[in-house]
Amino acid sequence: QVQVVESGGGSVETGGSLRLSCTASNYNRNYMTWFRQAPGKEREGVAAISTPGGRTYYADSGKGRFTISHYRANNTMYLQMNNLKPDDRAIYYCAADFVARATWALRADRYDYWGQGTQVPVSS
């Protein structure tokens, strides 16, 4: 069974940067993706990457500020977040699974394997 574990969350000020990490074990799927959920809001896709292949997909909220990457050697995915805003404050989750269509890569209902989440509190 695929297991995913996130790390790297922590307090950051508006305009600051943070890098999240996600390591997947027993991984044999084709997408790894970052989601986030703010209090009172639905979980939303942030960025996805195909593995192998490295094709990336971003939600509008993170375009130009977030960069997703994946290193095959240790099967670890990263999310580099720059110029963080108060609206970025959320719990960030890593997910992995087989996704049949690239257009579905940011849909939470397409993933069965989730990490426990890591907090990203952005102070204004």
Side-chain angles (χ1 to χ4, degrees):
Q1 184 174 351
V2 178
Q3 295 181 324
V4 292
V5 178
E6 309 98 334
S7 61
S11 297
V12 61
E13 294 183 351
T14 297
S17 297
L18 202 63
R19 189 176 80 159
L20 305 181
S21 301
C22 170
T23 300
S25 59
N26 302 319
Y27 179 77
N28 59 352
R29 300 299 193 264
N30 68 339
Y31 275 93
M32 293 182 73
T33 300
W34 287 101
F35 291 85
R36 69 184 183 186
Q37 188 165 18
K41 295 187 177 182
E42 293 186 356
R43 192 168 297 189
E44 62 175 359
V46 176
I49 189 165
S50 65
T51 62
R55 290 166 294 180
T56 58
Y57 306 88
Y58 294 93
D60 289 342
S61 59
K63 285 181 180 177
R65 300 187 299 125
F66 295 176
T67 303
I68 190 171
S69 58
H70 174 259
Y71 288 91
R72 192 174 181 180
N74 58 3
N75 207 27
T76 298
M77 174 178 67
Y78 301 95
L79 184 67
Q80 177 66 42
M81 302 186 292
N82 298 326
N83 190 22
L84 282 161
K85 305 175 181 179
D87 285 348
D88 296 319
R89 180 174 54 199
I91 300 175
Y92 284 71
Y93 297 90
C94 171
D97 215 328
F98 177 78
V99 180
R101 297 183 180 181
T103 52
W104 295 347
L106 293 176
R107 288 178 50 173
D109 63 351
R110 295 295 167 176
Y111 294 83
D112 286 335
Y113 303 102
W114 294 84
Q116 78 286 356
T118 185
Q119 293 261 9
V120 177
V122 180
S123 58
S124 56

